[in-house]
Amino acid sequence: MSLATRNGTGPVEAPVSPPKVVRQRRTRPGLLGLAVLLIALGGLGAAFAVTSVRATGSYLAVARPVEVGRQLSADDLVPVQVSGGPGLAPVPAGRLGEIVGKRAAVSLTPGTLLTLAQLTDDPLLGPGQQQLALGLDAAEVPARKLHPGDRLLLVSTPDDKADAPASGAGTRFEATVIDSSTKDDDEIVVYLALAVRDVPAVVALNAQDRIAVVLTGAA
């Protein structure tokens, strides 16, 4: 108890206020652990983002238009640097040697990444068809360039050796272009898909040089 004076008189007893006690906040262990966990997850997320950006590779992209059924050459493709990501399955540039010679199962557009699903090793033959090759002179080809998928009509021409000229329209056979190439002697070889029943007659007519080719539909 302390003493105090009032109006200059003698000491008078007076109560003294107790000192204020500042209570310290207690840190909850659960909140501290949560904060540490969030910081750690943030660091992992940043590291993953940096890794994803840097994880680039060299892949094959389409350099020029490729029609359905045409065989790919090295000039049709170009290597590009692309960052990897989920859902992407492009063909690595190191597999170029395996890709050249495969056929396009779909039309390939320049600037797009190449995938194995767009390629095939099979010729464009439908059910009940066989492949046949015709050797034609440039003047016998109905277009400057034939593309896979073009539809042709093969028409038999009269036999010059026959005693009497044949009357009426020649026999007709429907065919689809699979591929074409040019030989050194400028002969154009056209690879066709024909109905199995038509193959023997077309082979015989071709041996006699009695086939005219008409383009009826472009791919």
Side-chain angles (χ1 to χ4, degrees):
M1 184 177 294
S2 302
L3 298 178
T5 61
R6 181 186 300 172
N7 299 327
T9 61
V12 178
E13 295 183 357
V16 178
S17 300
K20 294 182 178 181
V21 178
V22 179
R23 300 178 63 182
Q24 295 182 350
R25 291 185 177 182
R26 296 178 58 189
T27 302
R28 297 180 182 179
L31 293 178
L32 180 60
L34 178 61
V36 173
L37 178 61
L38 291 176
I39 293 173
L41 291 176
L44 290 175
F48 176 77
V50 172
T51 304
S52 298
V53 172
R54 293 181 179 177
T56 60
S58 183
Y59 300 97
L60 293 176
V62 182
R64 59 187 183 184
V66 179
E67 302 85 4
V68 176
R70 185 160 70 79
Q71 288 184 311
L72 272 72
S73 67
D75 294 334
D76 295 324
L77 306 171
V78 60
V80 294
Q81 295 292 323
V82 180
S83 298
L88 291 178
V91 179
R95 299 183 63 180
L96 177 62
E98 304 175 30
I99 301 304
V100 171
K102 289 183 178 293
R103 296 183 184 274
V106 296
S107 296
L108 302 181
T109 305
T112 59
L113 292 174
L114 184 70
T115 65
L116 290 177
Q118 298 172 317
L119 308 175
T120 181
D121 291 318
D122 301 326
L124 299 181
L125 291 176
Q129 290 185 326
Q130 289 182 333
Q131 181 171 313
L132 176 70
L134 292 182
L136 304 173
D137 295 332
E140 297 174 324
V141 179
R144 180 171 298 179
K145 184 175 178 58
L146 292 176
H147 302 89
D150 287 347
R151 295 182 298 279
L152 303 180
L153 190 64
L154 309 181
V155 183
S156 64
T157 58
D159 186 359
D160 295 336
K161 298 179 181 179
D163 296 335
S167 60
T171 307
R172 303 183 180 190
F173 309 92
E174 294 182 351
T176 303
V177 176
I178 293 177
D179 201 355
S180 63
S181 63
T182 303
K183 292 187 176 181
D184 295 336
D185 57 358
D186 292 334
E187 182 187 29
I188 299 174
V189 179
V190 182
Y191 301 92
L192 303 175
L194 279 167
V196 175
R197 66 177 181 274
D198 295 336
V199 170
V202 172
V203 169
L205 290 170
N206 184 51
Q208 301 171 20
D209 197 18
R210 292 180 51 208
I211 286 185
V213 181
V214 180
L215 178 64
T216 59

